[in-house]
Amino acid sequence: MESDLLHTELTKIIETSNNNITITDQHGIILRSNPNHWSIYGIEPNQYIGKSVYQLQKEGILSPSIHAMVLESQKPVQILQKTKTGRTVMATGFPVFDQNGEIIRAISYSQDQTEIFNLQEQYKDLEKKLVSYQTEVEELRGKESDYHGILYRSSSIEQIVGTIYRVSKTDASVLLLGPSGVGKSTFARMLHAQSNRKNEPFIEVDCSTIPETLFESEMFGYDSGSFTGASKHGKQGLIEQAEQGTLFLDEIGELPLAMQSKLLRVLQEKKVMRVGGKKERQVNFRLITATNKNIEEMVENGEFRLDLFYRINIIPLQIPPLKERKEDLPILIQHYLQNLNEKYQLTKKIHASTYDALTQYSWPGNVRELENILERVILTADEETIRPEHLPVNLRNADFQIEDKVILEAENDETDEHDWKNTIERTETQLLKKAASYCKTTYEMADYLGISQPSVVRKLKQYNINRK
């Protein structure tokens, strides 16, 4: 009677438990279990009673079997199981011994942990995304605050900026190559601003402006009384001034061979000796160099030391001239126009035909020439709107060639009537397409063309021009 009551109680406990309770004998044969829990293993309730856990393990239903492990080790075991149905189960098994210490039963408690593990994985993914977003936000903030005038739309400059961000946290030497006026010093400042040395000095040296006779004393400094006219207190050189910061040697191709040798020694030994000094001083700086010369050709001609070239050429960055990245012109023009208007408290605008002249010009002086010409015409133009006649002659010629080309194309088209209306429509269509290729929004197009934004929208619809 009592045994029947115990049997009933045990059966009820197993059936109503939130855990999957399974009991096997010493041979791994399943004696009791919750019928409802076996669905997570992919089998029906009537398919497990009397079954061997070893057979179920072999069939991949129990992977692995907690009971097989308990019976083998005769110790408590806790594992994670992966079921055929894709569930994750936490199983804990215990051995049961008789009075002689012989194992007679194995009992396990298991619980479906799939949802918990999914939530954990989702949490980990969210953490990774959060870190990624934080990194992107920090990078964007860095870009906003440390651009130093680097504005671009071209893929070539985008690649250079990306490389700068990747190498900025290292101390690798960077060699900036490109013609005069492309903004090599601006890129150098950006590199310094993104580096771990950003709070330390940025010392810029134009190697082409320091006379050879003074170069050594300027670069390395001098001790008191080292030569006639020297300060009695001595002087710290430019290299020492860059301590813990960045030393930017612009136009390094102009560096005399004798100075190249001494600079190489500083880079190799991280020490500098002042002119007239007897004591070497330890230095720590990041080196950035730039040149508009073909430095490899100079090495071949014996004008530049090969070993120094290897030292400075760890990360070479070729800055393309402005004529090879015309898509950058509209944003640069707008940037300089806004800055100059703010600087001189003006409200000057640029006419659409003037934009065409500026974008068609080859800009041999690159960004520096663009900025200088815009400043000149903004200050000298006697009207609020800058027209082609306000530009230097060489730029005005470029504009007239564009206008002549548009009219000539319209006149030479034999498929349409050669009347004034068709010529105007063709001219407007070409200017709208040009504006659409340069500008991201209809508001930018309106500024570019010197008309209102509603007019831009209306004309785009009128001529069926799709903005990409």
Side-chain angles (χ1 to χ4, degrees), residues 85-179:
T85 58
R87 314 296 289 180
T88 301
V89 178
M90 174 73 75
T92 306
F94 300 91
V96 179
F97 302 95
D98 63 14
Q99 294 177 347
N100 299 321
E102 297 293 329
I103 190 166
I104 57 172
R105 295 286 188 271
I107 302 176
S108 71
Y109 306 88
S110 57
Q111 194 171 46
D112 187 357
Q113 301 285 310
T114 306
E115 297 304 322
I116 294 175
F117 275 87
N118 286 344
L119 287 172
Q120 288 177 339
E121 290 300 318
Q122 290 175 20
Y123 177 71
K124 289 178 182 177
D125 288 341
L126 286 172
E127 279 190 319
K128 289 179 182 178
K129 288 180 180 179
L130 181 61
V131 171
S132 175
Y133 293 151
Q134 286 174 338
T135 302
E136 287 181 13
V137 168
E138 287 174 4
E139 184 172 300
L140 286 171
R141 284 174 179 169
K143 287 182 179 180
E144 289 175 358
S145 60
D146 295 321
Y147 257 165
H148 298 285
I150 298 178
L151 300 169
Y152 62 91
R153 285 179 181 166
S154 61
S155 58
S156 58
I157 299 300
E158 183 178 13
Q159 290 176 1
I160 291 169
V161 170
T163 302
I164 286 176
Y165 275 105
R166 285 191 293 275
V167 305
S168 60
K169 304 302 181 185
T170 73
D171 275 345
S173 298
V174 176
L175 174 60
L176 300 168
L177 302 165

Side-chain angles (χ1 to χ4, degrees), residues 7-39:
H7 175 79
T8 301
E9 290 176 347
L10 179 60
T11 301
K12 198 64 177 178
I13 290 171
I14 293 173
E15 287 178 352
T16 58
S17 173
N18 289 328
N19 288 305
N20 177 22
I21 302 176
T22 302
I23 303 173
T24 67
D25 63 14
Q26 68 271 32
H27 303 296
I29 302 301
I30 298 174
L31 303 176
R32 297 175 183 275
S33 190
N34 313 50
N36 297 331
H37 286 282
W38 280 81
S39 60

Side-chain angles (χ1 to χ4, degrees), residues 188-202:
R189 288 181 179 276
M190 177 188 178
L191 183 55
H192 172 73
Q194 295 300 316
S195 73
N196 297 326
R197 299 174 181 265
K198 62 184 177 183
N199 296 322
E200 303 300 333
F202 177 85

Side-chain angles (χ1 to χ4, degrees), residues 235-263:
K235 181 183 176 182
Q236 190 180 53
L238 293 168
I239 293 177
E240 286 185 68
Q241 292 177 32
E243 178 64 19
Q244 300 299 324
T246 301
L247 178 65
F248 173 47
L249 299 181
D250 197 8
E251 302 303 343
I252 195 172
E254 304 290 341
L255 197 64
L257 277 170
M259 290 300 101
Q260 291 178 28
S261 176
K262 293 186 177 183
L263 175 62

Side-chain angles (χ1 to χ4, degrees), residues 33 45 47 109 118 152 178 188 231 233 236 252 290-291 301 308 318 329 333 337 363 365 368 389 402 445 459:
S33 190
Q47 293 180 314
Y109 306 88
N118 286 344
Y152 62 91
S231 169
H233 303 294
Q236 190 180 53
I252 195 172
T291 183
N301 295 335
L308 179 58
Q318 183 75 46
L329 274 167
I333 292 170
L337 177 65
W363 297 108
R368 187 183 299 144
E389 57 264 30
I402 296 167
M445 290 180 66
K459 288 181 179 293

